[in-house]
Amino acid sequence: DESQTYKLGECATVRFKTYSPWGNQAASKGPFEVDGYGKLPKDCHNKEDAECQIELCGRNSLTIRAKTTDYWAFTVEGDAGPLIYHETVPGGEHRETPNVMDSDGYDTMQIYELFPEPLECANVVFKTYSWNNAPSNGPFEVEGYGQLLRDCHRSPGSECTITVCGQDTLVIRAKTTDYWAFTLEGDVGELLDFQVAPGGRHLEPPYPNIM
């Protein structure tokens, strides 16, 4: 890709609480996954009264997926709104207050409305992905920030953090024929747009971002 544009600077905080009145049966070994975040830590759901908090950026909904037959009863708090969609295993049961999920007898997926709050400034973490000849001499530029330091991309495992203020999107532009494979973390959401060099190609996950 010659350029990539990501959603930036709107983040929502979500708290999960394992529902304790059911006792130990409420807890689950997992795993459970959240779109745009990944697998929830085990301490979100592996014991009675388990509680954890995650941050999601650049998304308008919270999607949770059950990857286990071991069920979890929980409540959702923070910047999450009402449940707007669910998928229940065939012959299973849908339950709310508490929400119950597994891949065997209850909901396999639940989607909640999110109310992200705009950030005046967003912190973005670049991590060079050790994939083929992933490091690059650059240069690469970020709109509203300027040229990235070579420390961001010159060796496997390179990592750097930049702060972008007053922008709704993160736009990265390649100014080199020396390609770079990387991942993004921090206050950055989904990929909104990209431009591919003539005769080039755009790779989707599970591949890293490549420019």
Side-chain angles (χ1 to χ4, degrees), residues 13-64:
T13 300
V14 179
R15 292 186 298 277
F16 296 97
K17 293 184 178 181
T18 297
Y19 193 76
S20 59
W22 286 7
N24 292 330
Q25 287 184 324
S28 173
K29 296 187 296 290
F32 297 89
E33 294 182 0
V34 172
D35 288 5
Y37 178 86
K39 190 181 296 184
L40 287 175
K42 285 187 177 181
D43 57 10
C44 286
H45 51 70
N46 67 349
K47 63 181 180 180
E48 184 177 355
D49 294 327
E51 183 175 338
C52 72
Q53 180 172 293
I54 68 169
E55 185 177 69
L56 282 174
C57 298
R59 291 182 174 268
N60 295 319
S61 62
L62 166 71
T63 301
I64 313 167

Side-chain angles (χ1 to χ4, degrees), residues 17-152:
K17 293 184 178 181
T18 297
Y19 193 76
S20 59
W22 286 7
N24 292 330
Q25 287 184 324
S28 173
K29 296 187 296 290
F32 297 89
E33 294 182 0
V34 172
D35 288 5
Y37 178 86
K39 190 181 296 184
L40 287 175
K42 285 187 177 181
D43 57 10
C44 286
H45 51 70
N46 67 349
K47 63 181 180 180
E48 184 177 355
D49 294 327
E51 183 175 338
C52 72
Q53 180 172 293
I54 68 169
E55 185 177 69
L56 282 174
C57 298
R59 291 182 174 268
N60 295 319
S61 62
L62 166 71
T63 301
I64 313 167
R65 302 179 189 274
K67 303 292 183 177
T68 175
T69 58
D70 186 27
Y71 78 84
W72 178 33
F74 61 97
T75 58
V76 181
E77 300 178 359
D79 298 326
L83 181 70
I84 55 178
Y85 179 77
H86 64 88
E87 292 182 359
T88 307
V89 67
E93 178 184 0
H94 169 69
R95 296 192 64 163
E96 295 183 37
T97 317
N99 314 288
V100 182
M101 293 188 69
D102 68 12
S103 61
D104 185 44
Y106 295 95
D107 288 355
T108 58
M109 179 178 72
Q110 293 183 349
I111 300 178
Y112 298 81
E113 191 172 2
L114 271 187
F115 302 101
E117 298 182 0
L119 296 177
E120 184 175 334
C121 294
N123 294 315
V124 179
V125 182
F126 294 89
K127 293 184 177 181
T128 296
Y129 194 90
S130 299
W131 184 72
N132 292 345
N133 295 315
S136 173
N137 290 318
F140 298 89
E141 292 183 0
V142 174
E143 285 190 8
Y145 177 84
Q147 188 168 305
L148 292 174
L149 296 175
R150 285 189 63 200
D151 288 346
C152 291

Side-chain angles (χ1 to χ4, degrees), residues 1-5 138-143 146-148 170-176 180 182 195 211:
D1 293 354
E2 288 185 317
S3 72
Q4 293 182 349
T5 302
F140 298 89
E141 292 183 0
V142 174
E143 285 190 8
Q147 188 168 305
L148 292 174
L170 174 75
V171 181
I172 313 164
R173 299 186 186 279
K175 302 292 184 179
T176 176
W180 178 32
F182 60 96
Q195 295 179 0
M211 296 189 70

Side-chain angles (χ1 to χ4, degrees), residues 168-197:
D168 296 328
T169 57
L170 174 75
V171 181
I172 313 164
R173 299 186 186 279
K175 302 292 184 179
T176 176
T177 58
D178 187 25
Y179 81 86
W180 178 32
F182 60 96
T183 59
L184 288 171
E185 297 179 6
D187 302 326
V188 60
E190 61 190 322
L191 179 67
L192 299 176
D193 189 27
F194 58 88
Q195 295 179 0
V196 182

